[in-house]
Amino acid sequence: MLIVGGGIIGMAAAWRVAQAGLSVTMLERDTPGAGTSRVAAGMLAPVAEVEFGEAGRRALELGLRSAAMWPAFARELETASGVSVGLLRTGTLVVARDDDDARELDRQHEFRRSLGLAVARLRASQARALEPALAPTLRLALHAPEDHSVDPRLVLAALERVCVAAGVQVRAHAPVARVQLDAGASSVEGVVLADGERVPARRVVLAAGPWSELIEGMPRSAGASVRPVKGQILRLRDPAGPGLLTRVLRFRGGYLVPREDGAYVLGATVEERGFDLAPTAGGVYELLRYAHELVPGISELHVEELAVGLRPGTPDNAPVIGPAGVDGLVWATGHYRNGILLAPLTAQLVAGVLGGDAEDRLLAACSPTRFQAAAAAAADPAAGEPAVA
Amino acid sequence: MLIVGGGIIGMAAAWRVAQAGLSVTMLERDTPGAGTSRVAAGMLAPVAEVEFGEAGRRALELGLRSAAMWPAFARELETASGVSVGLLRTGTLVVARDDDDARELDRQHEFRRSLGLAVARLRASQARALEPALAPTLRLALHAPEDHSVDPRLVLAALERVCVAAGVQVRAHAPVARVQLDAGASSVEGVVLADGERVPARRVVLAAGPWSELIEGMPRSAGASVRPVKGQILRLRDPAGPGLLTRVLRFRGGYLVPREDGAYVLGATVEERGFDLAPTAGGVYELLRYAHELVPGISELHVEELAVGLRPGTPDNAPVIGPAGVDGLVWATGHYRNGILLAPLTAQLVAGVLGGDAEDRLLAACSPTRFQAAAAAAADPAAGEPAVA
């Protein structure tokens, strides 16, 4: 079987599927781990990230499930690879810079309490007792003690090792141009690479992130539902070592994620710009402005890198995981801002689908066909969603 | 003879000295043009740059002289090298963001008028008629129509070619550890490289910028008068091409220099940090903040590079050019923020010194021994500066 895409989703899925005894070839357009996953900050933050509405609740369920899997996933990965993946169980502070932020934070606090989530409301002085680098102008904070972080670059390095050790054939610089279906478009026959090479396979997992939309020959039921959402980040390092900030910090317009060694990821813009990978003066400025206001001490941090990632967004920004009406074709992308968080669960779901043993309820929430169902319902109000789904 | 340093000063001097018929070897610690010159914005701005006081007037005289040499220097360099050096005769706008800036600008305007310099006071509307990208919040501007710019990276590429063509032996990765003097410390005998190799020479030109202070064995009269002054810059590019800004823009805390092709240099911090070459969150933020206030349109520009240069500062921030009390030893550094501007004049002065035909008055203003004279006068008030000089 083929897995298209060597980011965190593709590699985690390849590992799980190979562990289940299948023969796996992974096709990556660049080198494994060179894309969006490498730019991600690595927040495992289902509580801080939860959004209002039905899609938000579905994402929360997926996020909580996958967050709970992370400690064991990290341990297994570290043992199998010999690479530490930098899982830091520090908790997250969501902070308010001004009165508007504080009102919104109170609303968010109520919402999370109503969902039964572990989150505490802290006065500014309490937040500053936890993180003394926070500016005195801080208004309010929420503390999500179970929202942690991991270092995606270490995870990617570990995954590449365990994939190879598990027998996954890793093909770098092998961009997939199209999916090959049979004459009736009812089952998959393989893929065609950009250079024309045909790679036959009866099962194909699409984990190509935003680049999925560039792959031709997709069945209409799932095609073109993923788009790139640009995120700019800065990678900073404190020449004085770790300690300026211990917890993940989130705020309107961004976040600051500390690593164990004095490195920080400051992110991220959210921009609809297609496949644009250029950092911009405006993006960098906004990120630094917010962060300076909240943590004036970042001024002395070295800027090691400006990077841009393209998140795979979907119409409702929940992932597309599972079969899509064509025998042998399985989606595993659209993770938007939550690809690192959702990797263990996605890998398990993909392995389950291929092994005939997946959780139907979770898969239903991630169905690649849900947008077509919604579009059909909108076009024909008489056809209710349940009937179409 | 030896020239220590392959920046714009060392290369320009090597070219002129080789043209005069001397055999020249250039020793560069890295590769030619890899240091401070490569980070410089390339403003040829003696009028905008002039400072109050005696040192300021001396620097102005040097600057005006060298600025007047630039068009012919650029033409000669372009003809000899076949490389265009990007000399743009656009003039410079010095702008005020607020009332404090505006008061200071009026003071600067009066000062420049008193010196007979070509500079016009513009109302905000007049400045915005010239440069429509300027923010409406602009308060006042000065227009220096004769302050132009050049692209230092193109100049460096051209200089390397003409040096080689003129017979200069260019030795890259040849850091000089010490200057070798004779037993009486009265004349130079050569230099010793970091790997211990001795390179004999009866004449040595020190053009190593801030790294000059790391070279041991200097005569006390001139040693340790140069220090690194850190400057951070951003190199930006407008994906829409040139046109956002035509003229060089200067403001409190920075400048924005347009190139012909839609590229911009946004600089520069002025920091006393020793040999620290790391861009910082605070440095990048301040530059972007000022520039955004004045030219909101820079928001869309791509950030191509963060770079740090180490200017060679001196106690009075005027250069040290000429002999320093040891036969055969000639200084050519300490150009601080004006190395690109002063390169043609410095090269001419160095060639003059070596050929026995330099302008004494200009050299006196740049004497490497002036700080010792000032220190002696301060230590012994009875000894007036004229007697010592």
Side-chain angles (χ1 to χ4, degrees), chain A residues 142-229:
Chain A
L142 299 188
H143 184 217
E146 299 301 326
D147 276 5
H148 305 312
S149 70
V150 74
D151 185 336
R153 292 189 181 183
L154 297 176
V155 174
L156 292 166
L159 279 172
E160 194 174 352
R161 284 200 193 189
V162 298
C163 279
V164 170
V168 175
Q169 297 294 316
V170 177
R171 290 189 59 181
H173 305 295
V176 170
R178 55 184 296 122
V179 168
Q180 191 88 30
L181 305 183
D182 68 353
S186 64
S187 64
V188 72
E189 294 188 332
V191 303
V192 181
L193 303 187
D195 65 3
E197 180 187 343
R198 285 162 187 271
V199 186
R202 286 191 307 114
R203 288 187 284 196
V204 174
V205 175
L206 290 166
W211 295 276
S212 303
E213 78 156 316
L214 302 181
I215 298 174
E216 296 183 354
M218 293 288 188
R220 239 189 124 259
S221 60
S225 59
V226 180
R227 73 188 191 285
V229 182

Side-chain angles (χ1 to χ4, degrees), chain B residues 9-229:
Chain B
I9 299 294
M11 285 206 278
W15 184 36
R16 286 301 189 219
V17 171
Q19 282 178 320
L22 297 187
S23 165
V24 181
T25 296
M26 194 175 77
L27 302 170
E28 161 57 37
R29 57 191 292 280
D30 193 331
T31 53
T36 310
S37 310
R38 187 176 168 71
V39 180
M43 287 177 289
L44 309 176
V47 173
E49 188 81 37
V50 62
E51 287 177 11
F52 294 107
E54 176 50 29
R57 276 172 208 247
R58 262 186 289 145
L60 174 65
E61 185 180 359
L62 296 172
L64 289 173
R65 280 286 291 270
S66 203
M69 294 171 73
W70 252 105
F73 183 79
R75 261 195 313 276
E76 186 185 348
L77 192 51
E78 289 181 337
T79 304
S81 69
V83 174
S84 163
V85 299
L87 177 67
L88 295 182
R89 307 178 77 154
T90 61
T92 292
L93 280 181
V94 190
V95 296
R97 274 196 302 270
D98 56 29
D99 286 345
D100 281 353
D101 281 4
R103 272 190 294 274
E104 173 61 19
L105 222 50
D106 268 330
R107 208 169 137 249
Q108 296 282 348
H109 180 226
E110 276 312 304
F111 175 56
R112 282 164 180 73
R113 278 167 46 102
S114 75
L115 295 170
L117 298 173
V119 59
R121 184 182 187 278
L122 303 185
R123 291 191 311 274
S125 59
Q126 294 171 306
R128 295 188 65 217
L130 291 178
E131 295 288 353
L134 284 167
T137 51
L138 190 76
R139 301 306 301 266
L140 187 67
L142 299 187
H143 184 217
E146 298 301 327
D147 278 5
H148 304 313
S149 71
V150 74
D151 185 335
R153 293 188 179 181
L154 297 177
V155 174
L156 291 165
L159 278 172
E160 195 174 350
R161 285 200 192 189
V162 298
C163 279
V164 170
V168 175
Q169 297 293 317
V170 178
R171 289 189 59 182
H173 305 295
V176 170
R178 54 185 297 119
V179 166
Q180 192 89 32
L181 304 183
D182 67 353
S186 64
S187 64
V188 72
E189 293 189 333
V191 303
V192 182
L193 302 187
D195 64 4
E197 179 188 345
R198 284 161 189 271
V199 186
R202 287 190 306 113
R203 289 188 284 197
V204 174
V205 175
L206 290 166
W211 295 276
S212 302
E213 77 157 319
L214 302 179
I215 298 174
E216 297 184 355
M218 293 287 189
R220 239 190 122 259
S221 60
S225 60
V226 180
R227 71 187 194 287
V229 182

Side-chain angles (χ1 to χ4, degrees), chain A residues 206 212-213 215 217-226 314-315 320-326 329-331 333 366-373:
Chain A
L206 290 166
S212 303
E213 78 156 316
I215 298 174
M218 293 288 188
R220 239 189 124 259
S221 60
S225 59
V226 180
T314 63
V320 284
I321 306 172
V326 173
L329 193 63
V330 179
W331 282 76
T333 188
C366 304
S367 168
T369 61
R370 67 186 182 276
F371 311 115
Q372 274 63 35

